[in-house]
């Protein structure tokens, strides 16, 4: 699929492409899923990414309307038996958080360098960025759906420290964990 076809999907807000790719708007610094209900940006201001982690790595934050981080990847990753599909399942299971990239590579039977190269080529982000995106998504869901204290929540989501948690949430969601929790309360999200 080329960029013009992707832009047509964005223009038509086609939900079938959610998780297949993400688009970012350079003028706002925000990335979205193709079905985002916001005004369609000009083509010249749009960049496309194969994963939410790639958009985050490029410096974009998640849209608050369409919540693209809630669609971390396509369902294709669940059935793929190749290196990237297996790596995504291990990352989803928290292997990078517990064992590091070296542990992920050992489980896959490849070198850490090869795993990094394959994931970056296929998804636009390496295993650390993909694991970070997964942790941030888990933390946001916990913030908005539970009343767990923020400290417990950070460690439950897989963060190694409160500082790392706070920095990541500010960078990806442009808000503190307390602000995200308060916004969920105002928006009527389940608690």
């Amino acid at each position: 699929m080329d960029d013009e076809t992707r832009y047509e999907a964005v223009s038509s807000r086609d939900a079938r492409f959610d998780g297949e790719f993400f688009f970012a708007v350079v003028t706002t610094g925000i990335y979205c899923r193709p079905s985002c209900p916001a005004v369609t940006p000009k083509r010249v201001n749009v960049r496309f990414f194969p994963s939410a982690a790639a958009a985050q790595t490029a410096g974009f934050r998640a849209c608050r309307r369409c919540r693209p981080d809630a669609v971390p990847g396509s369902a294709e990753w669940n059935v793929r038996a190749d290196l990237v599909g297996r790596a995504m399942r291990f990352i989803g299971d928290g292997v990078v958080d517990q064992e590091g990239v070296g542990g992920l590579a050992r489980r896959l039977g490849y070198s850490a360098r090869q795993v990094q190269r394959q994931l970056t080529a296929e998804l636009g982000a390496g295993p650390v960025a993909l694991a970070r995106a997964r942790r941030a998504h888990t933390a946001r869901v916990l913030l908005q759906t539970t009343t767990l204290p923020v400290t417990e929540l950070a460690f439950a989501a897989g963060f190694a420290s409160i500082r790392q948690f706070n920095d990541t949430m500010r960078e990806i969601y442009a808000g503190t964990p307390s602000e995200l929790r308060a916004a969920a309360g105002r928006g009527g999200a389940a608690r």
Side-chain angles (χ1 to χ4, degrees), residues 111-163:
S111 71
R113 183 171 176 247
Q114 182 68 8
V115 171
Q116 175 76 31
R117 278 191 6 228
Q118 288 289 323
L119 288 173
T120 302
E122 189 83 23
L123 299 172
V128 172
L130 292 164
R132 179 177 179 246
R134 183 195 62 78
R135 281 192 308 272
H137 170 66
T138 301
R140 183 187 58 78
V141 169
L142 289 173
L143 277 168
Q144 295 177 338
T145 62
T146 71
T147 57
L148 275 175
V150 173
T151 305
E152 289 178 31
L153 188 141
F155 294 117
F159 287 94
S161 71
I162 299 300
R163 183 179 197 159

Side-chain angles (χ1 to χ4, degrees), residues 1-179:
M1 176 183 303
D2 65 358
D3 286 352
E4 294 311 313
T5 305
R6 288 185 185 100
Y7 186 72
E8 286 178 28
V10 168
S11 296
S12 64
R13 294 177 175 84
D14 195 336
R16 293 177 297 172
F17 293 97
D18 286 357
E20 297 298 320
F21 69 88
F22 298 84
F23 75 96
V25 184
V26 295
T27 53
T28 62
I30 295 172
Y31 75 96
C32 300
R33 62 173 82 184
S35 65
C36 185
V39 174
T40 303
K42 293 180 182 175
R43 172 64 185 98
V44 68
N45 295 327
V46 175
R47 302 291 177 273
F48 297 100
F49 296 95
S51 67
Q56 292 167 9
T57 300
F60 294 96
R61 72 168 179 80
C63 173
R64 290 185 180 146
R65 290 184 76 179
C66 71
R67 297 190 174 169
D69 59 303
V71 185
S74 69
E76 175 185 1
W77 303 119
N78 294 329
V79 297
R80 285 178 61 163
D82 65 353
L83 170 65
V84 175
R86 291 183 7 239
M88 288 299 292
R89 286 190 296 279
F90 279 132
I91 290 168
D93 291 342
V95 170
V96 173
D97 298 334
Q98 297 164 4
E99 302 174 26
V101 177
L104 173 66
R106 278 190 300 281
R107 285 182 179 229
L108 294 168
Y110 289 87
S111 71
R113 183 171 176 247
Q114 182 68 8
V115 171
Q116 175 76 31
R117 278 191 6 228
Q118 288 289 323
L119 288 173
T120 302
E122 189 83 23
L123 299 172
V128 172
L130 292 164
R132 179 177 179 246
R134 183 195 62 78
R135 281 192 308 272
H137 170 66
T138 301
R140 183 187 58 78
V141 169
L142 289 173
L143 277 168
Q144 295 177 338
T145 62
T146 71
T147 57
L148 275 175
V150 173
T151 305
E152 289 178 31
L153 188 141
F155 294 117
F159 287 94
S161 71
I162 299 300
R163 183 179 197 159
Q164 179 191 50
F165 169 65
N166 287 330
D167 291 346
T168 298
M169 298 309 279
R170 270 191 217 102
E171 185 179 330
I172 292 177
Y173 298 110
T176 65
S178 299
E179 291 169 346

